Amino acid sequence: FPQRATAAGSGVIVRSDGYVITNDHVVAGADKVTVQLMDGRTFVGKVYRDPRSDLALIKINADNLPAVQFANSDDVKVGELALAFGSPFELSDTMTMGIVSSLHRHFEVTEGTNGYYYPDLIQTDASINPGNSGGPLVDIYGRVIGINTAIESQTGGNVGIGFAIPSNTVRYVMDQLIAKGRVVRGYLGVVPSTLSYDQAQMLGVKQGAFIQMVEDGSPAAKAGMQAGDVVIRFNNQPVTDEASFRDLVARTAPGTTVPVEVYRDGHDLTLNVTVGEAPSDKTEQPQQQQEMRKARGRMGIEIGDASDPDIRKKFQLNSDVKSGVVVLNVYPNSPAADAGIQPGDVIIALNGKPIKDAQALSDALAAEPSGATVRVTVRRFSANGPGETLVLFVTLY
């Protein structure tokens, strides 16, 4: 018989009229969310979700509540004292202390069919455990600098590496959820990455966001942006890396035309780009998107079926390729990148077993333990030459 499941997490009162912020993964899949205050009162809340940021806002019918004060997370420095609050293992009102260990971490979490990608996180060694999710990370003045979200651990318990979503991101998402019930983000239709030192030296730039892919018909493509460009400034603001670029684009209102300075072939160019609106996140992801997230979580790639006509046209696949999985994007410093897998490669086998589509690849990867090394057979095509078959070794996340 079906069994009723319950889960617990933490939250932060962000407005005195009954608004509470928490993680999306705390409330995802719940048919009822109950908020219990420190004075013992309980309320059934209305939930507004933003899966892309892994944040959710809960509205309860209460007034005159004590609300937190936010700090400017852009001012947070490595080495500052940090205090984490929450209910680890359902031990309510727990506080732990540590420092800010690092900034601008990116992190991927995949659980079953759900996945979250965090492009910019605060790392702390303040003890964070299951149940801390959604609770605040605060500075020595009690101001919120982040929302505790994830841990890096092989055992599931604290090992001194925790992550929090920066307070500036939390405030941006919160304000939109309160005003609109959803988060509207700007969209260009590109895949950016952060340049390594050697890559920056090779291209002749000090910093910026490298454009790996430009989607056909996207706002970026219409403005003349090309794969291989390095974005130096966006709307007159400096771009230091992938995270800063994504943030600047996301916070630009759709329909706004902004100047984008790019470095291309030794020259600076200014393009006028009309920002589009990012596609809305769905509470339940289509099956294909779920399989893409699984592959990204284990190998660090974005994928699509080789049978998809649009993908075949985009990558100019040979007619002898009738099935398999096309690599749409490879994330920097990922297992796939380390192994030499490239966008446009067609994965046709894993450990010698044929791979016909994204579902088959997902199933094969799910059967492998973390840290396993697998043999990936790919077909690779060049514009002016014959295709080739390669066998590459990938050590999975």
Side-chain angles (χ1 to χ4, degrees):
F1 296 94
Q3 299 293 312
R4 177 172 293 172
T6 60
S10 305
V12 183
I13 299 173
V14 292
R15 272 190 19 177
S16 61
D17 54 348
Y19 284 99
V20 178
I21 201 79
T22 187
N23 282 128
D24 180 75
H25 72 259
V26 171
V27 300
D31 53 14
K32 185 174 78 171
V33 174
T34 301
V35 176
Q36 181 175 8
L37 303 182
M38 289 186 65
D39 61 12
R41 288 183 292 167
T42 59
F43 300 86
V44 175
K46 181 177 181 180
V47 179
Y48 301 89
R49 296 179 56 195
D50 183 47
R52 182 170 297 185
S53 66
D54 192 17
L55 291 169
L57 190 70
I58 306 171
K59 179 65 173 73
I60 62 176
N61 187 22
D63 292 307
N64 300 317
L65 300 177
V68 297
Q69 179 182 359
F70 285 98
N72 182 352
S73 55
D74 290 343
D75 294 336
V76 173
K77 301 292 189 297
V78 172
E80 288 186 13
L81 288 176
L83 306 172
F85 290 84
S87 302
F89 304 111
E90 298 190 28
L91 298 171
S92 61
D93 310 329
T94 297
M95 179 182 77
T96 56
M97 184 178 76
I99 63 169
V100 174
S101 305
S102 186
L103 300 170
H104 309 302
R105 292 295 197 197
H106 60 270
F107 197 73
E108 178 111 17
V109 175
T110 302
E111 296 181 354
T113 59
N114 294 320
Y116 296 93
Y117 174 64
Y118 309 94
D120 187 18
L121 293 173
I122 297 172
Q123 181 182 328
T124 180
D125 66 349
S127 182
I128 295 175
N129 285 287
N132 272 113
S133 288
L137 185 70
V138 308
D139 62 17
I140 59 174
Y141 303 104
R143 302 174 303 181
V144 175
I145 61 175
I147 295 297
N148 302 322
T149 297
I151 60 174
E152 177 67 70
S153 173
Q154 295 182 349
T155 64
N158 173 65
V159 293
I161 302 178
F163 300 96
I165 299 172
S167 59
N168 287 359
T169 299
V170 175
R171 294 178 66 181
Y172 169 75
V173 171
M174 176 189 79
D175 289 344
Q176 291 218 46
L177 289 176
I178 292 174
K180 306 174 184 177
R182 68 187 184 100
V183 179
V184 177
R185 294 178 171 87
Y187 168 77
L188 291 186
V190 299
V191 175
S193 66
T194 297
L195 292 167
S196 67
Y197 176 82
D198 290 339
Q199 291 170 338
Q201 292 294 307
M202 183 185 303
L203 294 171
V205 296
K206 293 183 178 180
Q207 60 183 25
F210 182 76
I211 302 302
Q212 291 184 320
M213 183 182 75
V214 178
E215 181 182 340
D216 291 345
S218 65
K222 292 176 181 177
M225 193 174 292
Q226 300 177 8
D229 287 347
V230 180
V231 179
I232 306 299
R233 298 179 71 85
F234 181 87
N235 199 18
N236 300 316
Q237 298 296 314
V239 173
T240 57
D241 53 20
E242 173 195 355
S244 69
F245 178 59
R246 287 183 182 276
D247 189 58
L248 287 168
V249 173
R251 299 193 186 202
T252 302
T256 306
T257 299
V258 299
V260 180
E261 184 179 338
V262 303
Y263 183 82
R264 180 190 301 168
D265 298 330
H267 301 284
D268 290 339
L269 299 174
T270 299
L271 307 173
N272 292 314
V273 182
T274 300
V275 178
E277 180 176 341
S280 298
D281 289 298
K282 303 298 182 182
T283 301
E284 298 296 332
Q285 297 177 327
Q287 183 67 24
Q288 176 72 4
Q289 292 182 0
Q290 293 177 7
E291 305 313 328
M292 289 172 66
R293 277 199 177 276
K294 291 179 186 177
R296 182 168 72 182
R298 300 305 305 278
M299 295 177 62
I301 57 176
E302 298 281 3
I303 61 173
D305 287 338
S307 59
D308 187 311
D310 292 334
I311 292 176
R312 297 187 66 86
K313 180 180 179 181
K314 181 172 185 176
F315 289 97
Q316 299 181 339
L317 299 184
N318 284 13
S319 58
D320 65 324
V321 176
K322 295 180 172 60
S323 63
V325 175
V326 181
V327 178
L328 306 179
N329 179 45
V330 179
Y331 282 80
N333 304 316
S334 66
D338 292 342
I341 291 178
Q342 302 175 8
D345 285 351
V346 182
I347 298 175
I348 59 174
L350 191 81
N351 287 338
K353 296 182 179 180
I355 297 295
K356 64 177 183 178
D357 54 25
Q359 178 68 60
L361 178 61
S362 175
D363 291 344
L365 290 173
E368 299 292 336
S370 178
T373 298
V374 296
R375 290 180 293 112
V376 181
T377 305
V378 304
R379 290 280 290 157
R380 181 175 295 169
F381 304 95
S382 59
N384 301 313
E388 56 187 7
T389 302
L390 302 87
V391 177
L392 304 171
F393 291 91
V394 180
T395 301
L396 303 176
Y397 282 136

